[in-house]
Amino acid sequence: MSLASVKQFFSQHAPDIDVVELEQSTATVALAAEGHGVEPAQIAKTLALRVGDDVILIVTRGDARLDNKKYKARFGTKARMLDLDEVEAETGHPVGGVCPFGLAKPHNVYCDESLKAFDVVVPAAGATNAAVHISPSRIAELTGAEWIDVSAL
């Protein structure tokens, strides 16, 4: 279902972007970088967090981590990742395949400024072996994401 919802999202909103499915798992940044022949930093990982009663998604570069001070300054609370079982229920995507496309429920999406270091990044595409090659600006455009600075390298 998840991979199908991402493929449907791109067929409707960006038919020029192909979902790439590999034989091997790309569920971690290291596996995805190896599978797609890019540096780990070029993998666009999507983090699912809870802010009060809301769930938000933050897309950041693969080698970045959340900066707790920046995050708290932006969202007014401590970063709280979703539990593994909550991730699929909220996004429709399995852990290792989470992306901001083809979501099961509408969520606010944020793109971290760290993505702008690359012309093309590789986010997952709803499955642990699927991804797309896309510009950071196109991710923001397609998802209505707001640009924020909450990462540390």
Side-chain angles (χ1 to χ4, degrees):
M1 165 80 185
S2 183
L3 177 59
S5 71
V6 173
K7 286 182 174 181
Q8 181 179 359
F9 175 89
F10 282 109
S11 80
Q12 289 178 339
H13 302 287
D16 58 305
I17 296 175
D18 294 320
V19 174
V20 178
E21 294 177 72
L22 301 179
E23 294 295 318
Q24 71 270 26
S25 173
T26 55
T28 67
V29 169
L31 289 172
E34 182 180 324
H36 291 278
V38 298
E39 293 299 314
Q42 236 177 312
I43 299 303
K45 63 184 176 185
T46 303
L47 307 174
L49 300 110
R50 187 163 299 282
V51 176
D53 293 334
D54 297 323
V55 170
I56 64 167
L57 302 178
I58 298 177
V59 185
T60 188
R61 62 189 267 170
D63 63 347
R65 57 182 172 70
L66 283 181
D67 181 303
N68 290 323
K69 287 181 182 176
K70 288 180 181 179
Y71 183 91
K72 189 168 185 175
R74 173 60 181 83
F75 293 103
T77 188
K78 185 176 158 184
R80 199 171 120 230
M81 301 288 285
L82 294 186
D83 294 332
L84 294 181
D85 58 332
E86 289 180 295
V87 171
E88 192 160 1
E90 289 292 333
T91 67
H93 305 319
V95 172
V98 177
C99 64
F101 316 110
L103 297 169
K105 300 176 183 178
H107 294 295
N108 288 331
V109 177
Y110 298 88
C111 285
D112 187 75
E113 293 283 338
S114 64
L115 294 170
K116 291 182 176 178
F118 304 100
D119 293 332
V120 173
V121 293
V122 185
T128 58
N129 69 329
V132 294
H133 295 241
I134 187 171
S135 71
S137 62
R138 193 88 186 273
I139 294 173
E141 173 192 325
L142 289 170
T143 63
E146 179 183 334
W147 286 100
I148 59 174
D149 178 14
V150 294
S151 72
L153 300 177

